Amino acid sequence: MTPTARSAGLLAVGALLLTSGCAALSDDSGSSASGSDSGKVQVAAAFYPLEFVAERVAGDLAEVTPLTKPGVEPHDLELSINQTAALQSADLILTEHGFQPAVDDAVEQDVKGEVVDVEKVVELRKAEEGHEEGHEEGHEGEEVAGDEHDHGETDPHFWHDPLLMAQYAESVRDALVDADPDNAETYEANAKSLTEDLTKVDEEFKAGLAQCEIKDVVVSHDAFGYLDKYGLEFESIAGLTPDAEPNPAQLAEIGEHAKEHGVTTIFSERLVSTALADTLADDLGLKTAVLDPIEGLSADTEGEDYLSLMRQNLDALKAANGCQ
């Protein structure tokens, strides 16, 4: 190869690498990952319930970047270069420590924005005994399939209590006011409106589940513990995350529990496989239905929001448990 040809080839390779590098730092719409020139407050929300709060409280005054895209199970999140850049440049970061290890790791790096961590501003309930560990033990201490995401001693699924969502919204409002004091009145009004909506949903659950013939509910994973404030008791097939699979003895125990308490329906969920719930329901001759953990939106729920999904869950529980 002549020196001229070799130089031309090197230039071509350099141009390709430069183009690839630029592409890696842009999102699907082609916008830069380094931030926005809109002048709006930049908010990075770790997963859907936090995104919902941000969008309601901020309104049009902020650009909210969801780190967990629709259709992705939030526990499985792996951050892209663009998402990591969004976290580093955000004015405000909404997260829940212990729920998504990838986000926790990124936040511990060089982020400039204020972090509103659920764990620090909401009183989380304790995890049910046996679900707080990262694994169960089989015979002779042998480990069996279990929850690889150890949430510690607390249950992270706080958003199933609308009043705790309202509590978190207050912290988001305060952080937005700190970041953008000129629009404090708007943030305060938006937060008040959201709190009213959340309070209404809480009242609907209280009334709707006050008189149920059946008090027990069997769900696919332990995401609904906060709903026990309304008088129901939840038995989960898996642990605090959907990938925590029970052993045969545990499945048999859940089946006996369902029979003893007159359970009519085994609830599966969106975003993860329904195989365990379907198998258990088939073995017991029971119906199946969907109870959405509202950890994220899916192709089936892209037109819904937190409030409408909570109401769908209420209707499903009333139908399954004979609530008047």
Side-chain angles (χ1 to χ4, degrees):
M1 180 182 291
T2 66
T4 302
R6 184 165 60 250
S7 298
L10 290 172
L11 286 172
V13 171
L16 178 61
L17 290 173
L18 180 60
T19 302
S20 300
C22 292
L25 291 174
S26 64
D27 58 22
D28 294 338
S29 64
S31 61
S32 169
S34 61
S36 170
D37 296 327
S38 66
K40 295 183 177 182
V41 178
Q42 299 299 302
V43 181
F47 58 99
Y48 176 68
L50 310 188
E51 175 191 351
F52 171 77
V53 169
E55 290 177 341
R56 282 292 307 266
V57 177
D60 296 332
L61 298 176
E63 290 184 356
V64 180
T65 300
L67 300 182
T68 305
K69 302 297 183 183
V72 175
E73 214 295 322
H75 297 94
D76 299 333
L77 177 66
E78 294 183 6
L79 294 175
S80 66
I81 294 175
N82 186 64
Q83 290 169 317
T84 301
L87 270 172
Q88 292 173 340
S89 63
D91 301 304
L92 190 61
I93 300 166
L94 310 187
T95 186
E96 181 171 14
H97 183 266
F99 190 65
Q100 294 172 295
V103 177
D104 293 345
D105 291 344
V107 168
E108 289 174 2
Q109 304 305 314
D110 185 24
V111 295
K112 71 180 182 67
E114 180 179 353
V115 178
V116 185
D117 183 353
V118 172
E119 190 178 62
K120 296 184 182 301
V121 298
V122 172
E123 185 175 351
L124 301 175
R125 74 193 297 269
K126 290 185 178 181
E128 294 294 331
E129 185 177 356
H131 290 157
E132 68 270 18
E133 300 297 331
H135 63 266
E136 301 286 348
E137 290 189 355
H139 296 295
E140 299 180 358
E142 181 180 351
E143 292 184 13
V144 297
D147 180 0
E148 66 183 37
H149 307 279
D150 183 6
H151 292 305
E153 298 180 352
T154 58
D155 181 345
H157 305 90
F158 78 100
W159 55 91
H160 288 288
D161 183 342
L163 298 187
L164 292 182
M165 278 283 275
Q167 186 175 329
Y168 186 67
E170 292 178 356
S171 295
V172 174
R173 173 203 63 198
D174 293 345
L176 285 166
V177 169
D178 288 343
D180 181 22
D182 290 344
N183 290 301
E185 290 185 5
T186 300
Y187 297 131
E188 290 167 0
N190 290 347
K192 180 180 179 181
S193 175
L194 175 57
T195 296
E196 290 171 352
D197 288 345
L198 293 168
T199 301
K200 185 176 181 181
V201 170
D202 177 66
E203 292 170 350
E204 290 173 13
F205 267 78
K206 287 179 181 176
L209 301 178
Q211 299 182 40
C212 298
E213 295 176 5
I214 302 167
K215 293 293 185 182
D216 288 74
V217 185
V218 176
V219 295
S220 56
H221 95 274
D222 189 20
F224 302 95
Y226 286 86
L227 291 178
D228 66 6
K229 64 179 276 189
Y230 302 111
L232 298 182
E233 297 182 12
F234 291 82
E235 184 75 17
S236 62
I237 300 172
L240 284 172
T241 55
D243 57 2
E245 295 185 4
N247 60 40
Q250 291 169 319
L251 270 178
E253 184 179 342
I254 293 168
E256 287 301 316
H257 180 90
K259 291 178 182 177
E260 290 175 8
H261 293 84
V263 170
T264 66
T265 306
I266 305 297
F267 285 104
S268 62
E269 61 186 68
R270 300 180 177 99
L271 299 182
V272 296
S273 171
T274 63
L276 274 176
D278 291 342
T279 299
L280 182 59
D282 187 59
D283 289 345
L284 298 173
L286 301 180
K287 296 182 292 185
T288 58
V290 171
L291 201 65
D292 198 321
I294 322 182
E295 294 179 348
L297 299 180
S298 68
D300 294 332
T301 60
E302 61 182 357
E304 306 292 340
D305 67 6
Y306 166 84
L307 299 172
S308 65
L309 290 173
M310 283 290 285
R311 290 185 168 105
Q312 286 183 18
N313 282 351
L314 174 58
D315 289 341
L317 289 169
K318 289 169 65 176
N321 289 60
C323 307
Q324 303 297 321

